[in-house]
Amino acid sequence: MTTPENTVPAPAPRGLPAGKMPELRVMPAPSDANVYGDVFGGWIMAQVDIAGSLPATRRANGRVATVAVNSFVFKNPVFVGDLLSFYADITKVGNTSITVYVEVYAERNRLQANTVKVTEATLTYVATGDDRKPRKVPALDELMFPQER
């Protein structure tokens, strides 16, 4: 019987980061592009923000809000039909803030053999309470399940 403990992750398609799982995978539609078939940068930025917020939300153990886009670089165009993979890693945790680095890769024409890095960005999120005001990011030991303490 195969269990999560004894399974070996499938290798990443050629050109994608090995040993990492994407936070988000999405394929842009024609409505996401201009008349030339290039996907709007704003659409890509929105997807990057969603992908970056996922690890930030887990680390904050709750609501986060985007407070800064520290850097954003479009390295290659994105086309309708590209399969985009968004990889996000937390790079810094402050008292109320979490900084996340996001890389985006496109698998062209649904062919894993033709994969290019299209975007990279660094965003900062702030943990917020139900009142939408900043709150302290919990210490890692506060996030453990009681049986793990």
Side-chain angles (χ1 to χ4, degrees), residues 42-137:
W43 182 87
I44 298 166
M45 293 176 84
Q47 304 307 307
V48 165
D49 191 21
I50 292 168
S53 73
L54 296 172
T57 298
R58 284 192 301 270
R59 179 61 185 86
N61 199 28
R63 180 190 308 266
V64 297
T66 310
V67 294
V69 177
N70 307 318
S71 68
F72 211 105
V73 179
F74 294 102
K75 296 180 154 300
N76 286 290
V78 174
F79 307 113
V80 170
D82 285 350
L83 177 57
L84 302 180
S85 296
F86 296 75
Y87 295 85
D89 294 300
I90 293 173
T91 59
K92 181 181 175 188
V93 177
N95 188 39
T96 61
S97 66
I98 301 166
T99 302
V100 180
Y101 174 69
V102 180
E103 295 177 289
V104 185
Y105 293 84
E107 295 173 57
R108 302 274 191 225
N109 304 318
R110 295 182 207 88
L111 299 175
Q112 295 175 347
N114 188 8
T115 301
V116 295
K117 186 176 190 178
V118 293
T119 305
E120 60 185 23
T122 304
L123 301 94
T124 300
Y125 302 87
V126 67
T128 61
D130 291 337
D131 60 0
R132 306 237 179 357
K133 294 193 186 314
R135 66 173 171 82
K136 188 176 181 332
V137 174

Side-chain angles (χ1 to χ4, degrees), residues 30-47:
S31 62
D32 303 318
N34 62 27
V35 296
Y36 303 106
D38 300 327
V39 174
F40 292 117
W43 182 87
I44 298 166
M45 293 176 84
Q47 304 307 307

Side-chain angles (χ1 to χ4, degrees), residues 59-61 135-146 149:
R59 179 61 185 86
N61 199 28
R135 66 173 171 82
K136 188 176 181 332
V137 174
L140 283 175
D141 63 348
E142 295 173 23
L143 297 176
M144 291 183 179
F145 294 104
R149 290 186 180 183

